[in-house]
Amino acid sequence: MKRVCTRQFRNLTRLRSFGEVREKISRSINHVCLSRRSFHGSACRLGELELTSVRYPHVQRGKYATLTEKDVDFFQKLLPQRVLQDPSELDGYNIDWMRTVRGNSQMVLRPKTTSEVAEILKYCNERHLAVVPQGGNTGLVGGSVPVFDEIVISTQLMNQIISLDEVSGIIVCQSGCVLETLDNYLAERELMMPLDLGAKGSCHIGGNVSTNAGGLRLLRYGSLHGSVLGVEAVLASGEIVDCLSSLRKDNTGYDLKQLFIGSEGTLGMVTSVSILCPRRPKAVNVAFLGVENFEAALQTFQLCKGMLAEILSACEFMDQESMQCIQENLKLTNPIKSYPLYILIETSGSHGSHDEEKLNVFLEAAMGKGIVQDGTIAMDVTQRQNIWGLRERIAEGLLHDGYNYKYDISLPLPKLYEIVEDMRQRLGSKVTRVVSYGHLGDGNLHFNVTTPEYDKEVLGLIEPYIYEWTSQVRGSVSAEHGLGFKKRDCIRYSKEPNAVKMMVKMKKLFDPNGILNPYKTIPL
Amino acid sequence: MTKGHQGHLNGVKMALRILVGCKRVIDYAVKVRVKPDKMGVVTEGVKHSMNPFDEIAVEEAVRMKEKKLASEIIAVSCGPQQCQETLRTALAMGLDRGIHVEISGKDYETLQPFHVSKILAKIAEEEKVDIIFLGKQAIDDDCNQTGQMTAALLDWPQATFASKIEKNNGDLMVTREIDGGLETINVKLPCVITSDLRLNEPRYATLPNIMKAKKKPIAKKSPADLGVDVSPRQEVLSVEDPPVREAGSIVQDVDELVSKLKAAGVV
């Protein structure tokens, strides 16, 4: 129970905003607990969440061994006090953050070092025991939890920062470091992590790297394929592959680390990473704008790319239905009036007045041309956090509706909103809500539908229609969330058969017994 | 009867003139650091913004103007050049004009509520205001003195820690937050009111207003213009971090707890 609500709990404690302080003062602690309980409204039915093996009966368990007393003894000797078997403790590791998949693992291992991970995998490989590497368990495609009884290897205790070179900005750390913890550590040294996402309070950097997480600042700092300089991973056989370089440039041989970035733990378990961290901006500005339609949104984006240029660090959008969702479910306030679409623009630079002037000139132009109807600029850090909260907490707000069908697609920009209007018509009143929001700057749409409970009929209306629609315009059916379990059969919508064949060959090369995170990512 | 914006409530005309104090402080969300010389805190390059309680005061004044109870609302800020930004924020939220009392350098470092209250009192007299709205305290010094001192200097009634303000014929009925709960008092005008947290939730300044604010006037004055002496009345000896909190320890049972308390000399 405790693990599942980590994301929500972290959001509550991390919001030190004035607004949140007001909330806590004017309502008693009970209310805070109540909102956690209401988050679990449908989690009171947590016990009723059906096993993945029941909900997806066509998925067959592979020819893996089952845990024996001998195995348990081995692990308990290897990791004294760090083996979890109590069923009440395992729920948090068996169920994903979205509460849509539930595994049946009987054991969670919590290693502290790379060599312990190597011992675990060597043993599991010899015994043909399937495993699931797990970080913060905040993934959105069911890739971080077992499907059957795979052993969970958690990076919770691998949270040491190994080194930081403040001159070059290169940090080396274990894969279990929480993203926000790393960012706070770097903040004190005027640096920052090159990625940022809503789950920052709970996600582990190892998971971020393994899924090539995108996030809110990809527009400015690029993808992890560029900012990760080195990876240390353990293969299924227990061999340690140390590509943990701290060099900005190293063109010696094949760049193996790129294979581990984004392969979702199916080629190896990431144990350490080295990341290039940018300087923390001295001046950050956030503006929240209202526009009439998607065309205006695109025009706004065009205009801000031209006028804000190098100081633009984020450009997000959300629709009125997303705003309604967070207003109803999380009681957040809209700083401006209601508009069909909202755009959040963030600038980061080294010179406050220079940036403010650029932002003001841009906003005057946007309003003058009638592209933007209204908006606000955050006047202090609290307002800035609140405005970001409007965008970052939509995912949390959606969960209050019950069951959330979540899609993450990238499309050519002009088509980005067409699909939403199409799906809205298609689903009509069969669903509670149809919302869309996303990274306007990256052409990435987060399309979500909610119903009070899991409804096969609704799922049938959405899939495969949405995948086919996306495939037809040569978009990606998973822009940044990965394939995991829920989209493991969807790769063909966005990748050619020959490419998939190569991937299967590589998987067999790296993991001949198929013990690493089976049933996920690529169809074998 | 034909004077500009005048609201009527209970048959009484209200055209109140309001002065709102806006202090520029280190932003609420920023971690404060002590300077290496231990004589103050680091302010260079640190994000500053309007004192949150002052924002609440600004919001209340704007609401009174929207209800046509106030005719003109003036923002005032004492401090260096950057206070103009704080005033622009107030103007963007809806105040009509600003007054910047320029004080910088050493004078600013030693500026105390005693000086500020004299400045505010002088301006209130010059501008013939009916209400002085201030935040109950500033988040950098937590003094909670300026409102009270200003009222005393002017010999005006004061309603501090206001969480609700209502009209009551020609007076104001103010609900105050006090230790025991809530206290409602009737206050005659002119008066000083200081805002508490629950008075209202400040609005976000919208773009059209932000742009309009650029054209609103900000008058510059010096303490000398107002006949106020800002020479220091205090000397800062040192500024230090609070002591680092030591880790607690878990005890097995009540006996152990009692013996540990005895050993620490607190029982």
Side-chain angles (χ1 to χ4, degrees), chain A residues 289-309 312 315-317 341-343 345 362-363 365-373 413-417 440-441:
Chain A
L289 313 171
V291 297
E292 280 303 314
N293 50 45
F294 196 68
E295 224 205 280
L298 287 180
Q299 284 173 331
T300 310
F301 176 53
Q302 275 289 80
L303 194 66
C304 82
K305 261 203 301 187
M307 298 184 81
L308 297 175
L312 183 65
C315 187
E316 302 283 308
F317 82 97
L341 283 168
Y342 303 94
I343 302 182
I345 293 178
F362 156 71
L363 288 171
M367 295 232 18
K369 291 188 208 246
I371 307 173
V372 168
Q373 302 306 312
L413 266 182
K415 295 241 175 265
L416 206 60
Y417 208 64
L440 186 62

Side-chain angles (χ1 to χ4, degrees), chain A residues 16-18 21-22 25-26 289 333 335 360 363-364 367 374-377 379-384 386-387, chain B residues 27-30 33 47 49 52 55-56 89 92 197-198 200-208 210-211 214:
Chain A
R16 295 163 293 134
S17 72
F18 192 61
V21 170
R22 293 165 62 94
I25 289 174
S26 55
L289 313 171
T333 27
N360 283 325
L363 288 171
E364 257 173 83
M367 295 232 18
D374 193 10
T376 183
I377 308 178
M379 293 293 170
D380 54 41
V381 179
T382 304
Q383 284 191 345
R384 205 197 297 164
N386 286 346
I387 293 177
Chain B
D27 192 289
Y28 173 79
V30 168
R33 261 178 253 275
K47 175 91 178 112
S49 43
E55 263 181 44
I56 295 173
T89 305
L197 203 59
R198 267 168 282 249
N200 60 48
E201 191 166 332
R203 65 192 60 194
Y204 284 80
T206 54
L207 284 181
I210 294 173
M211 291 180 196
K214 291 196 199 147

Side-chain angles (χ1 to χ4, degrees), chain A residues 119-369:
Chain A
E119 293 277 346
I120 295 170
L121 287 179
K122 180 158 179 274
Y123 184 84
C124 289
N125 194 31
E126 281 163 10
R127 282 275 297 128
H128 287 245
L129 288 162
V131 302
V132 173
Q134 188 181 93
N137 195 9
T138 58
L140 303 170
V141 286
S144 51
V145 295
V147 178
F148 295 96
D149 58 343
E150 300 92 279
I151 300 170
V152 174
I153 308 178
S154 168
T155 51
Q156 274 178 325
L157 299 179
M158 297 174 62
N159 55 8
Q160 297 301 308
I161 295 173
I162 300 169
S163 71
L164 169 65
D165 178 349
E166 290 186 42
V167 176
S168 60
I170 298 175
I171 190 170
V172 183
C173 62
Q174 287 188 299
S175 55
C177 292
V178 174
L179 182 61
E180 194 173 37
T181 311
L182 288 172
D183 197 50
N184 289 341
Y185 175 81
L186 291 168
E188 291 171 20
R189 293 148 180 87
E190 301 197 357
L191 295 166
M192 62 180 275
M193 288 300 283
L195 80 160
D196 190 14
L197 43 151
K200 64 189 117 192
S202 312
C203 62
H204 294 189
I205 191 66
N208 292 143
V209 168
S210 302
T211 55
N212 189 26
L216 307 160
R217 303 236 159 64
L218 193 130
L219 181 69
R220 170 74 166 255
Y221 301 114
S223 102
L224 284 177
H225 279 293
S227 40
V228 171
L229 299 179
V231 164
E232 179 198 59
V234 181
L235 301 179
S237 58
E239 278 170 77
I240 303 174
V241 178
D242 182 355
C243 302
L244 202 63
S245 129
S246 297
L247 302 170
R248 188 74 182 79
K249 299 164 97 169
D250 179 12
N251 275 352
T252 52
Y254 300 158
D255 197 4
L256 286 182
K257 68 171 188 287
Q258 298 297 351
L259 291 175
F260 298 112
I261 301 173
S263 54
E264 305 182 35
T266 55
L267 295 180
M269 178 161 174
V270 173
T271 46
S272 303
V273 293
S274 76
I275 298 190
L276 180 64
C277 303
R279 296 301 294 277
R280 199 165 204 94
K282 293 230 161 59
V284 178
N285 285 301
V286 173
F288 193 68
L289 313 171
V291 297
E292 280 303 314
N293 50 45
F294 196 68
E295 224 205 280
L298 287 180
Q299 284 173 331
T300 310
F301 176 53
Q302 275 289 80
L303 194 66
C304 82
K305 261 203 301 187
M307 298 184 81
L308 297 175
E310 75 280 0
I311 61 169
L312 183 65
S313 58
C315 187
E316 302 283 308
F317 82 97
M318 51 191 273
D319 61 9
Q320 172 56 18
E321 286 73 12
S322 313
M323 180 63 80
Q324 250 175 300
C325 174
I326 52 176
Q327 282 175 312
E328 286 168 26
N329 291 348
L330 301 174
K331 309 282 179 262
L332 299 181
T333 27
N334 184 352
I336 57 179
K337 295 201 280 285
S338 295
Y339 290 95
L341 283 168
Y342 303 94
I343 302 182
L344 190 159
I345 293 178
E346 185 193 72
T347 65
S348 301
S350 54
H351 200 276
S353 38
H354 163 264
D355 288 5
E356 261 162 45
E357 210 194 299
K358 267 181 129 139
L359 185 62
N360 283 325
V361 171
F362 156 71
L363 288 171
E364 257 173 83
M367 295 232 18
K369 291 188 208 246

Side-chain angles (χ1 to χ4, degrees), chain B residues 32-60:
Chain B
V32 175
R33 261 178 253 275
V34 176
K35 283 203 294 209
D37 65 4
K38 295 213 167 179
M39 291 300 285
V41 296
V42 178
T43 53
E44 191 73 39
V46 173
K47 175 91 178 112
H48 283 65
S49 43
M50 196 193 303
N51 183 34
F53 293 106
D54 298 354
E55 263 181 44
I56 295 173
V58 168
E59 173 66 23
E60 196 62 22

Side-chain angles (χ1 to χ4, degrees), chain A residues 25-45:
Chain A
I25 289 174
S26 55
R27 304 177 199 207
S28 66
I29 298 292
N30 281 334
H31 177 83
V32 172
C33 294
L34 200 65
S35 44
R36 264 208 279 159
R37 278 204 285 280
S38 61
F39 171 94
H40 285 293
S42 45
C44 294
R45 306 192 302 256

Side-chain angles (χ1 to χ4, degrees), chain A residues 3-4 6-7 92-101 132-145 197-200 202-204 206-208 210-211 213 264 395 399 404 406 408 478 480-487 517 520:
Chain A
R3 280 294 308 277
V4 174
T6 304
R7 195 172 185 165
Y93 299 86
N94 268 320
I95 300 170
D96 72 328
W97 183 81
M98 301 238 319
R99 298 200 307 276
T100 55
V101 281
V132 173
Q134 188 181 93
N137 195 9
T138 58
L140 303 170
V141 286
S144 51
V145 295
L197 43 151
K200 64 189 117 192
S202 312
C203 62
H204 294 189
N208 292 143
S210 302
T211 55
E264 305 182 35
L399 285 185
N404 183 194
K406 192 175 278 288
D408 161 44
S478 187
E480 54 181 11
H481 291 172
L483 298 171
F485 174 74
K486 309 262 278 290
K487 297 191 201 162
N517 221 4
K520 301 192 185 129

